């Protein structure tokens, strides 16, 4: 069956399998010295994540008719950065968590120093694979992909957002400050996933602008839904410790706006995101379906 005609669950399963196989190929073998370190890197990645960011890479890549080989590498690079961020976020010096993706966190399964190094190596592996020769990609476009991913990961993106988050514990943030934090911490990598997929193929500048609007709204919506789930779902369903935001006195959309207003805000962001894709017509089907999934997900 042609991928475009698959139902969303079948398409997601196919793309999740696709990125899983690609991740197995790019991660260092556990048979290779230093075995335990490589085992920690593989544990941190191959442990049952939803692969939302790779799915966004593939969906945006369908729009730009990007080559699968390039999308596989872009999807892996984004997921490696995401997995590294989870390993470091769970460390005792940050969130100090013991449960991730339904399993002991990397530093519990191994040890703190190994988890720290495994996170570092996952981050650099992302840039190593993205800078290898890739088919049908000009050097200028490849540099653009590298720049998008490095910016999204660094001080102007995820790491900067995490720094704001750590400094905000026990403080009152207003909604604009919370939005800025999450646009960096969660939104930047989601945006990068969409832009990497789009730039991996052929796409017009005005369409990139539309995708940027979509990505901005969905990045924030992802976090609002995460805040709602943290307060409504249990740890077993989430695969991570539920209710941590309130326990750690962290400002969230639920704590600032209340649950009902946070749900209404997520719905507004969802509508704005869908509207941004109007110029693509039916070609944006997968991204629209993924937007619906991100809003209605239960974990
Ligand atoms: C350590 C530099 C550094 C950054 C950490 C992303 C992040 C910043 C921390 C993760 C903590 C967290 C729970 C953030 C909220 C949103 C989020 C990124 C959730 C996890 O993403 P999912 O739901 O996870 O896609 P899976 O496990 O499915 O991949």
């Amino acid at each position: 069956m042609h991928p475009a005609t698959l139902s969303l669950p079948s398409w997601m399963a196919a793309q999740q399998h696709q990125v899983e196989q690609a991740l197995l190929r790019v991660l260092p073998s556990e048979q290779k010295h230093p075995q335990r370190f490589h085992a920690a890197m593989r544990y941190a990645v191959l442990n049952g994540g939803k692969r939302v960011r790779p799915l966004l890479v593939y969906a945006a890549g369908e729009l730009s008719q990007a080559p699968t080989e390039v999308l596989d590498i872009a999807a892996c690079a984004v997921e490696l950065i995401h997995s590294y961020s989870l390993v470091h976020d769970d460390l005792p010096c940050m969130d100090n968590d013991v449960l991730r993706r339904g399993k002991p966190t990397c530093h519990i399964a191994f040890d703190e120093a190994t988890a720290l190094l495994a996170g570092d190596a996952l981050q650099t592996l992302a840039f190593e694979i993205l800078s290898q020769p890739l088919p049908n990609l000009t050097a200028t476009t490849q540099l653009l992909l590298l720049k998008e991913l490095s910016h999204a990961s660094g001080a102007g993106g995820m790491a900067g957002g995490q720094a704001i988050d750590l400094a905000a514990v026990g403080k009152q943030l207003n909604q604009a400050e919370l939005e800025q934090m999450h646009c960096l911490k969660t939104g930047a990598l989601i945006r990068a996933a969409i832009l990497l997929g789009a730039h991996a193929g052929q796409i017009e500048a005005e369409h990139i602008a539309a995708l940027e609007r979509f990505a901005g709204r969905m990045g924030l919506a992802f976090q609002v839904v995460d805040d709602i789930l943290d307060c409504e779902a249990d740890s077993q369903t989430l695969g991570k410790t539920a209710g941590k935001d309130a326990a750690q006195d962290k400002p969230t959309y639920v704590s600032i706006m209340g649950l009902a207003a946070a749900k209404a805000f997520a719905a507004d962001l969802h509508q704005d995101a869908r509207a941004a894709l109007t110029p693509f017509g039916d070609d944006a089907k997968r991204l629209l379906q993924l937007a619906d999934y991100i809003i209605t997900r239960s974990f």
Side-chain angles (χ1 to χ4, degrees):
M1 195 183 283
H2 191 273
T5 59
L6 291 174
S7 68
L8 181 69
S10 303
W11 179 84
M12 282 174 66
Q15 300 308 139
Q16 282 158 341
H17 179 73
Q18 176 86 12
V19 73
E20 221 62 38
Q21 296 305 306
L23 286 165
L24 283 166
R25 287 194 296 274
V26 301
L27 283 160
S29 163
E30 273 182 51
Q31 314 307 323
K32 203 173 129 201
H33 181 68
Q35 285 90 346
R36 190 166 176 276
F37 177 56
H38 292 160
M41 288 174 71
R42 294 176 76 89
Y43 179 86
V45 179
L46 304 170
N47 60 354
K50 296 184 291 296
R51 312 303 190 205
V52 169
R53 295 152 193 81
L55 292 174
L56 289 167
V57 172
Y58 288 119
E62 273 189 17
L63 266 184
S64 66
Q65 289 161 1
T68 307
E69 301 94 306
V70 180
L71 293 179
D72 283 347
I73 293 300
C76 284
V78 173
E79 189 66 13
L80 290 171
I81 295 285
H82 171 58
S83 301
Y84 122 72
S85 82
L86 299 181
V87 172
H88 282 195
D89 185 64
D90 290 332
L91 285 170
C93 63
M94 294 209 198
D95 243 13
N96 192 19
D97 216 327
V98 295
L99 189 66
R100 173 67 65 184
R101 294 171 167 173
K103 300 193 183 77
T105 47
C106 192
H107 66 276
I108 297 292
F110 292 84
D111 57 77
E112 262 183 72
T114 304
L116 182 75
L117 279 177
D120 290 339
L122 291 174
Q123 179 176 200
T124 51
L125 181 60
F127 296 108
E128 187 182 336
I129 62 169
L130 198 56
S131 53
Q132 73 188 298
L134 291 170
N136 301 330
L137 217 55
T138 65
T140 308
T141 304
Q142 195 161 357
L143 278 175
L144 178 68
L145 302 189
L146 285 159
K147 185 165 178 264
E148 285 291 350
L149 188 61
S150 43
H151 183 73
S153 309
M158 192 176 70
Q162 179 78 343
I164 299 173
D165 190 4
L166 292 174
V169 174
K171 299 213 172 92
Q172 291 290 323
L173 292 188
N174 62 35
Q175 197 179 325
E177 290 166 331
L178 192 66
E179 186 161 324
Q180 193 225 4
M181 174 179 92
H182 288 311
C183 282
L184 296 178
K185 184 179 139 178
T186 315
L189 197 58
I190 287 180
R191 179 179 182 277
I194 294 166
L195 292 182
L196 259 60
H199 283 300
Q202 302 299 320
I203 191 145
E204 290 164 28
E206 70 203 62
H207 279 168
I208 288 291
L211 282 177
E212 283 181 329
R213 278 196 296 282
F214 171 77
R217 299 287 84 187
M218 280 322 295
L220 199 51
F222 186 94
Q223 185 60 52
V224 179
V225 171
D226 211 70
D227 287 355
I228 294 167
L229 289 174
D230 185 71
C231 115
E232 283 198 319
D234 57 67
S235 300
Q236 201 186 352
T237 309
L238 291 180
K240 61 182 181 182
T241 312
K244 271 203 88 170
D245 295 335
Q248 292 183 334
D249 197 15
K250 277 192 174 183
T252 68
Y253 283 96
V254 176
S255 70
I256 285 182
M257 309 173 90
L259 190 55
K263 286 183 179 177
F265 185 44
D268 285 348
L269 291 167
H270 183 203
Q271 283 319 311
D272 287 354
R274 290 187 66 92
L277 295 184
T278 311
F280 296 101
D282 274 356
D283 291 346
K285 179 178 107 177
R286 282 299 171 215
L287 280 177
L288 289 167
Q289 288 176 335
L290 280 180
D292 299 346
Y293 161 76
I294 285 169
I295 295 295
T296 56
R297 71 199 166 97
S298 54
F299 65 97

